[in-house]
């Protein structure tokens, strides 16, 4: 399904409202780890991984460990870029661990009414 720019921006706005600073933190963490090697030295386009963060965040609710997050990360990157570009699941271990820590810190904020 091809989405319009307006639909993408609205989805981004809703996710930012729902997840708050966690959205930016996950996107920044993915930028830092650069799992598919698209960031070049000196690159400041820190929103490069926001599309992937948009599809990863909702799936974190089903995760019970960093290992689950690792599976989510790998499957999303395979879906976005294909198996060859995504690489092995092991490649996502460090990022998954850090995202799990962020998730644990933000979970109480997300559960508030």
């Amino acid at each position: 399904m091809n989405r319009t720019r307006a639909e993408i921006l609205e989805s981004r706005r809703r996710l930012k409202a729902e997840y708050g600073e966690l959205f930016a933190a996950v996107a920044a963490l993915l930028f830092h780890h650069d799992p598919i090697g698209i960031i070049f030295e000196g690159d400041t386009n820190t929103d490069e991984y926001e599309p992937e963060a948009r599809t990863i965040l909702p799936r974190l609710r089903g995760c019970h460990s960093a290992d689950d997050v690792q599976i989510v990360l790998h499957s999303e990157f395979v879906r976005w870029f294909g198996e060859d570009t995504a690489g092995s699941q092991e490649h996502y271990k460090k990022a998954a661990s850090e995202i799990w820590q962020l998730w644990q810190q933000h979970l109480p904020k997300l559960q508030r009414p």
Side-chain angles (χ1 to χ4, degrees):
M1 173 177 103
N2 290 332
R3 295 170 47 186
T4 67
R5 176 168 169 71
E7 289 170 332
I8 291 168
L9 291 174
E10 176 58 21
S11 171
R12 181 176 181 238
R13 186 201 62 74
R14 278 193 318 267
L15 277 169
K16 281 187 169 188
E18 180 177 354
Y19 293 101
E21 62 191 43
L22 181 61
F23 178 86
V26 168
L29 194 142
L30 292 171
F31 179 87
H32 171 75
H33 285 281
D34 190 20
I36 59 166
I38 58 173
I39 307 301
F40 298 99
E41 188 175 332
D43 194 349
T44 59
N45 189 15
T46 57
D47 64 350
E48 189 67 43
Y49 282 105
E50 283 188 3
E52 295 79 11
R54 279 198 308 268
T55 61
I56 290 166
L57 281 171
R59 293 187 62 191
L60 294 180
R61 291 191 187 274
C63 293
H64 303 287
S65 68
D67 290 340
D68 291 345
V69 176
Q70 185 176 351
I71 292 167
V72 166
L73 290 180
H74 182 252
S75 68
E76 285 298 325
F77 277 89
V78 167
R79 186 173 72 81
W80 279 92
F81 302 103
E83 287 186 43
D84 289 342
T85 300
S88 73
Q89 187 171 310
E90 184 63 27
H91 181 67
Y92 296 85
K93 188 173 188 79
K94 179 88 170 124
S97 175
E98 292 177 26
I99 289 173
W100 178 248
Q101 289 173 3
L102 286 172
W103 178 249
Q104 293 303 296
Q105 292 167 2
H106 285 82
L107 196 55
K109 297 175 190 174
L110 297 174
Q111 293 174 337
R112 290 184 197 145

